[in-house]
Amino acid sequence: MTSVTAPSNIALIKYMGKVEGTGNRPTNASLSYTMNHLVTEVSIAALPKEATEDRWRPLVKPGFGAPALSETGRAKFLNHFRFLKETWGVPGFHEIASANNFPSDCGLASSASSFAALTKAAARAFGRGESAEELSRLSRRGSGSSCRSFFSPWALWREEGAESVDDLGFGDLLHAAVVVSAGMKQVSSSEAHRRVLSSPKFAGRPERAEQRLRELMSALREKNWTEAHRVTWDEFVDMHELFETSQPAFGYRNRASKDVVDACRHIWSFKNDGPLVTMDAGPNVHLLFRPDQRELADKMVTHFQEKHVVMSSWRGLK
Ligand code: DP6
């Protein structure tokens, strides 16, 4: 049996919108920070000859919880495994077990860590020698954002797969996710990718994202945190406005997300400093702090914990 882990990642420049019919090829490049503290573990074991299909089960391991995989989620996961076996000419059927080291019901269960871990585990189980870049391209076929989970701390995904970016400043950042709602999403991110194409605001979206990517990379290289914050903020707002102007419109931001975001805005206007703030296709708010902002990070986490669960890289789940 082979077991491996892969981390999740949070995009600051978002992958939102796919080129139709191309196996998760994005309409714009994206940049993410790898959350090495949030991982999925996947194990793969060969099934006896009589088996007629691959199957999935929850992995039981202390400190890990099984992801709440829907029927569609499970099919997507097993389809990706089938794709990998076909690509590599691997015969037979297997049992895949997976679990996350973060609660599956906390609204952070991203497909990124699951698909990256599955791709890595399959490569290991079948004795493959592909590079991280090659595995990233294959993983993209299963779930786009997973292709960025092969690199740390920063990953840049342009077309086929992601690559590492080494010269971005600030070192290891502190990550906190303010979990304002842990419920299942009404609209999956795969569906969001389709729907945003119908928004009038999608016109010019790839260009806006590419422009922000250049600005964010320069800001991180030049250690201009304020500019990095501005770009990151504009980017998540842009993505959520696409959702909210799609036809039919949908949205993930709720009253509590708005309150958390407003509190961050307040900190920034008051102190002229604060965390990078972003949101994924969900209501939860992600914060990234520089290592020297530890005191502020602690204060903000303590404040948000009065009302919400906060998952942080330096204090764990509270
Ligand atoms: C909002 O990678 O989940 O998190 O390729 O259809 O599996 P599929 O979509 P997915 O999309 C994630 C979108 C996002 C932004 C991002 O991670 O860049």
Side-chain angles (χ1 to χ4, degrees):
M1 194 175 76
T2 312
S3 276
V4 306
T5 61
S8 193
N9 69 73
I10 177 73
L12 301 188
I13 301 297
K14 308 290 185 183
Y15 154 50
M16 186 42 59
K18 302 182 193 185
V19 181
E20 302 259 11
T22 56
N24 301 335
R25 288 264 291 272
T27 47
N28 61 268
S30 55
L31 180 74
S32 61
Y33 186 78
T34 303
M35 302 190 286
N36 285 312
H37 55 295
L38 304 179
V39 303
T40 297
E41 179 162 330
V42 167
S43 74
I44 299 180
L47 286 169
K49 279 201 185 63
E50 310 79 73
T52 53
E53 57 183 10
D54 296 313
R55 56 179 195 234
W56 176 84
R57 70 168 172 85
L59 179 84
V60 181
K61 183 177 166 146
F64 281 67
L69 277 187
S70 64
E71 249 338 278
T72 337
R74 190 181 298 207
K76 189 175 166 184
F77 203 55
L78 290 174
N79 277 344
H80 181 58
F81 183 63
R82 195 173 322 125
F83 159 75
L84 293 170
K85 284 196 303 179
E86 278 165 17
T87 305
W88 294 331
V90 174
F93 296 102
H94 298 78
E95 184 179 71
I96 321 276
S98 69
N100 300 325
N101 74 343
F102 47 100
S104 57
D105 58 355
C106 78
L108 294 179
S110 146
S111 62
S113 53
S114 315
F115 281 78
L118 177 58
T119 307
K120 264 169 90 174
R124 176 91 54 89
F126 305 140
R128 306 293 309 179
E130 275 80 2
S131 63
E133 285 76 12
E134 285 162 329
L135 292 181
S136 165
R137 287 164 177 240
L138 290 167
S139 205
R140 182 207 90 221
R141 301 287 294 262
S143 180
S145 55
S146 72
C147 79
R148 296 184 308 238
S149 282
F150 290 79
F151 308 96
S152 178
W154 296 98
L156 172 65
W157 172 20
R158 284 201 184 282
E159 282 182 7
E160 302 278 334
E163 61 192 60
S164 179
V165 204
D166 295 329
D167 59 347
L168 305 184
F170 299 111
D172 286 341
L173 302 178
L174 306 173
H175 169 262
V178 185
V179 181
V180 303
S181 165
M184 287 287 280
K185 300 189 217 182
Q186 298 298 315
V187 176
S188 70
S189 44
S190 297
E191 174 62 17
H193 285 289
R194 280 189 286 275
R195 284 226 211 146
V196 290
L197 303 178
S198 68
S199 161
K201 294 191 179 208
F202 197 80
R205 161 68 193 162
E207 293 76 14
R208 292 197 298 279
E210 295 292 344
Q211 168 75 16
R212 285 193 199 111
L213 176 66
R214 286 191 291 275
E215 291 171 352
L216 181 58
M217 292 196 36
S218 302
L220 292 170
R221 279 193 184 113
E222 290 156 15
K223 296 210 174 180
N224 185 342
W225 188 255
T226 307
E227 173 68 358
H229 162 65
R230 180 196 66 77
V231 178
T232 305
W233 186 285
D234 288 352
E235 173 64 2
F236 90 77
V237 170
D238 189 3
M239 181 176 77
H240 281 263
E241 286 178 350
L242 290 177
F243 301 150
E244 291 157 11
T245 53
S246 287
Q247 288 156 14
F250 63 104
Y252 301 102
R253 296 192 278 192
N254 58 27
R255 186 69 256 162
S257 339
K258 289 200 174 93
D259 288 347
V260 172
V261 165
D262 284 349
C264 295
R265 196 202 321 267
H266 181 75
I267 297 279
W268 266 98
S269 61
F270 182 71
K271 291 177 77 77
N272 233 346
D273 196 13
L276 304 185
V277 182
T278 191
M279 293 177 68
D280 249 339
N284 303 320
V285 182
H286 292 258
L287 310 176
L288 288 168
F289 298 88
R290 302 185 307 271
D292 66 285
Q293 289 179 307
R294 177 70 180 260
E295 202 182 319
L296 172 68
D298 273 327
K299 272 195 188 144
M300 288 182 71
V301 166
T302 304
H303 171 74
F304 290 131
Q305 275 169 350
E306 285 170 16
K307 286 196 179 155
H308 308 293
V309 168
V310 180
M311 181 111 201
S312 76
S313 57
W314 70 105
R315 285 164 48 158
L317 175 75
K318 291 273 171 59

